[in-house]
Amino acid sequence: MARPIWSGTISFGLVNIPIRLHNAIKNKNLHFHQLRKKDGCRIRLKKVCSTDGAEVMAEDIVKGYEVSPDQYVVVSSEELTSVTPKASRSIEIEDFVLMKQIDPIYFEKSYYLIPEPTSMKAYRLLLEAMETSKRVAVAKFVLRNKQYLAVLRPNGQTITLSTLFFADEIISPDELSDLAAGDTQPTEKELKIALQLVESLSNDFQPEKYHDEYREKVLNLIKNKAEGETVTAPAQVQNQPGKIIDLMAALEASVSAIKKQKTSPKRKRVHALQNKR
């Protein structure tokens, strides 16, 4: 069983609910080491001075914040400690809000909150209160000397905690280039066929249906090479400049292609097998 990465309490008014924080995400990123090409020996990175190129030992390195080009304010570890959030074992609920009010752009990383055996009743009370009210809890807590904003929400029989970005970390669309240039308003006919395309592609969300195809291909490549197989890279295909196409024609062709795919004999057989199951 996975070990908790943190333990503490959810503060819900005057109610404290002891919980354990578990990772909800498996990191499946592929990590490569740098090797010397001729003999495969591992490359170690050294920290060197940008002025004289001399290697600098860890004990001689301090933290500096750049306030202007090549101008730094040096901050000691003791000074940083003095402003570090006070260590706390409490997830302090500050507000209950409607989930639809939180733009998904704010979500960062998710965890499971598992109750201690003695707090099961209070845990279930909070979970069912959020389900009944259709609201989620906005809270703050400290993890590894950093303060986080978070949202607690019911997830079946479990409360899930997701850390959020703070508002000043989000780039506003207003800071991007003009999105309203030119005549971009769709016609009624274009919107109608676009809605048909959306409808033809509509389905229930099934996360297990989607795979990281690149990661799977890289792992297969590594497996084959480890077993001594020679892998030949395919010839590179030059990207052709995108053609300007008629929007309406493209929409109609898309709807037609999807209808044809759905009525193909192979697809019908697959659906028949799924229905039998």
Side-chain angles (χ1 to χ4, degrees), residues 41 73 112 114 127 169 205 241 247:
C41 72
V73 171
Y112 294 126
I114 306 301
L127 192 152
E169 295 180 278
F205 179 54
L247 178 59

Side-chain angles (χ1 to χ4, degrees), residues 87-130:
S88 170
R89 289 286 172 180
S90 179
I91 299 171
E92 302 279 351
I93 293 177
E94 300 195 353
D95 298 290
F96 286 94
V97 303
L98 296 173
M99 185 65 180
K100 65 181 181 181
Q101 294 176 327
I102 305 177
D103 191 312
I105 199 172
Y106 284 93
F107 284 83
E108 183 183 18
K109 189 175 180 181
S110 295
Y111 303 88
Y112 294 126
L113 297 179
I114 306 301
E116 296 291 358
T118 56
S119 64
M120 184 62 75
K121 185 173 181 179
Y123 180 92
R124 287 290 309 173
L125 175 64
L126 174 58
L127 192 152
E128 291 188 18
M130 288 192 288

Side-chain angles (χ1 to χ4, degrees), residues 47-66:
K47 295 180 180 180
V48 298
C49 175
S50 61
T51 303
D52 58 21
E55 184 177 359
V56 183
M57 298 295 103
E59 60 269 20
D60 295 322
I61 296 176
V62 295
K63 295 180 183 292
Y65 185 87
E66 190 172 24

Side-chain angles (χ1 to χ4, degrees), residues 30-249:
L30 297 175
H31 299 282
F32 292 91
H33 294 292
Q34 292 184 326
L35 310 174
R36 188 162 61 185
K37 186 176 181 179
K38 68 178 183 180
D39 57 10
C41 72
R42 179 84 177 272
I43 302 300
R44 302 290 181 182
L45 300 181
K46 295 181 178 181
K47 295 180 180 180
V48 298
C49 175
S50 61
T51 303
D52 58 21
E55 184 177 359
V56 183
M57 298 295 103
E59 60 269 20
D60 295 322
I61 296 176
V62 295
K63 295 180 183 292
Y65 185 87
E66 190 172 24
V67 292
S68 61
D70 296 325
Q71 295 294 317
Y72 302 90
V73 171
V74 175
V75 182
S76 69
S77 298
E78 292 75 18
E79 289 169 329
L80 286 174
T81 300
S82 69
V83 295
T84 297
K86 185 178 179 181
S88 170
R89 289 286 172 180
S90 179
I91 299 171
E92 302 279 351
I93 293 177
E94 300 195 353
D95 298 290
F96 286 94
V97 303
L98 296 173
M99 185 65 180
K100 65 181 181 181
Q101 294 176 327
I102 305 177
D103 191 312
I105 199 172
Y106 284 93
F107 284 83
E108 183 183 18
K109 189 175 180 181
S110 295
Y111 303 88
Y112 294 126
L113 297 179
I114 306 301
E116 296 291 358
T118 56
S119 64
M120 184 62 75
K121 185 173 181 179
Y123 180 92
R124 287 290 309 173
L125 175 64
L126 174 58
L127 192 152
E128 291 188 18
M130 288 192 288
E131 285 183 334
T132 303
S133 66
K134 307 298 182 185
R135 291 181 180 267
V136 296
V138 177
K140 286 183 179 179
F141 75 111
V142 177
L143 176 64
R144 301 189 185 102
N145 296 325
K146 180 181 176 182
Q147 186 180 61
Y148 287 91
L149 181 66
V151 61
L152 281 63
R153 64 186 190 276
N155 183 3
Q157 301 298 309
T158 308
I159 295 176
T160 298
L161 177 148
S162 295
T163 55
L164 304 176
F165 292 107
F166 286 97
D168 59 2
E169 295 180 278
I170 303 298
I171 297 173
S172 169
D174 297 336
E175 298 178 47
L176 307 178
S177 58
D178 186 9
L179 299 176
D183 182 15
T184 58
Q185 189 66 28
T187 66
E188 185 176 338
K189 188 175 181 181
E190 288 170 340
L191 179 58
K192 183 178 179 181
I193 195 74
L195 290 173
Q196 288 181 29
L197 179 57
V198 170
E199 180 61 30
S200 64
L201 290 170
S202 294
N203 209 334
D204 292 329
F205 179 54
Q206 302 170 21
E208 64 280 356
K209 162 182 168 183
Y210 308 98
H211 299 270
D212 185 343
E213 295 176 8
Y214 171 72
R215 177 178 173 274
E216 290 173 354
K217 288 179 180 178
V218 171
L219 288 174
N220 190 54
L221 168 68
I222 293 169
K223 176 179 177 291
N224 291 340
K225 294 199 71 173
E227 293 174 352
E229 182 179 325
T230 300
V231 179
T232 305
Q236 293 292 324
V237 178
Q238 295 293 329
N239 291 328
Q240 298 296 324
K243 294 181 180 179
I244 299 176
I245 59 174
D246 178 77
L247 178 59
M248 193 64 194

